[in-house]
Amino acid sequence: MVIAEIVISLLILVGAFFLFVGSLGLAKLPDLMRRLHGPTKATTLGIGSMLIASMLYFWIVEGNPSIHELLITLFLFLTAPVTAQMIAKAYILHNIQEREVLTETGRPVGWATLDAAEADEHSEVTQTSSNA
């Protein structure tokens, strides 16, 4: 029982540390692309650690196994990267200055985010001219 409580306590401490670091990064980093790393990486790991500690506590100490915390953790780990990618894509497409700063890919194709947007623009022009 003592070992389980130590493991649970360590998970809570690790989670609190990552939550603090992620929140600090969100508050202090200078622009959106850098701020995006705080909540999507550190904070997700921190809240996942806290939820697993909660799950272990109720299972080992209280004797009531609960899968809700595990499902919430899986949901967070699946949705955080998708959300970060969508926010980053919208930011790059919205800010023309950011497009100019991007490095070359070293391949015949460019960045997928920008290539898809340019293809959409070309298809809209084609559709508009063919309808006229």
Side-chain angles (χ1 to χ4, degrees):
M1 186 67 104
V2 174
I3 294 174
E5 290 176 353
I6 291 172
V7 169
I8 292 168
S9 299
L10 286 175
L11 282 170
I12 290 172
L13 288 174
V14 167
F17 172 76
F18 278 108
L19 283 170
F20 176 72
V21 169
S23 300
L24 190 65
L26 180 64
K28 294 293 184 179
L29 291 173
D31 62 351
L32 180 103
M33 294 299 274
R34 292 183 200 149
R35 283 185 188 154
L36 197 55
H37 293 289
T40 58
K41 297 194 179 39
T43 306
T44 303
L45 187 60
I47 198 67
S49 178
M50 291 275 201
L51 286 166
I52 290 173
S54 172
M55 182 182 67
L56 289 175
Y57 174 79
F58 284 108
W59 186 20
I60 295 171
V61 177
E62 297 287 325
N64 296 326
S66 174
I67 198 158
H68 294 100
E69 289 92 351
L70 182 63
L71 293 175
I72 294 169
T73 304
L74 290 174
F75 179 75
L76 286 172
F77 282 131
L78 290 174
T79 57
V82 174
T83 305
Q85 195 270 339
M86 296 304 289
I87 292 171
K89 184 175 181 174
Y91 180 78
I92 289 172
L93 289 175
H94 182 69
N95 294 324
I96 296 171
Q97 297 152 344
E98 290 294 322
R99 293 185 206 179
E100 296 168 358
V101 177
L102 291 174
T103 59
E104 293 295 323
T105 61
R107 300 175 299 167
V109 294
W111 290 93
T113 298
L114 298 176
D115 289 346
E118 291 170 3
D120 287 342
E121 289 172 4
H122 292 302
S123 66
E124 288 175 8
V125 170
T126 307
Q127 289 173 357
T128 307
S129 62
S130 66
N131 290 341

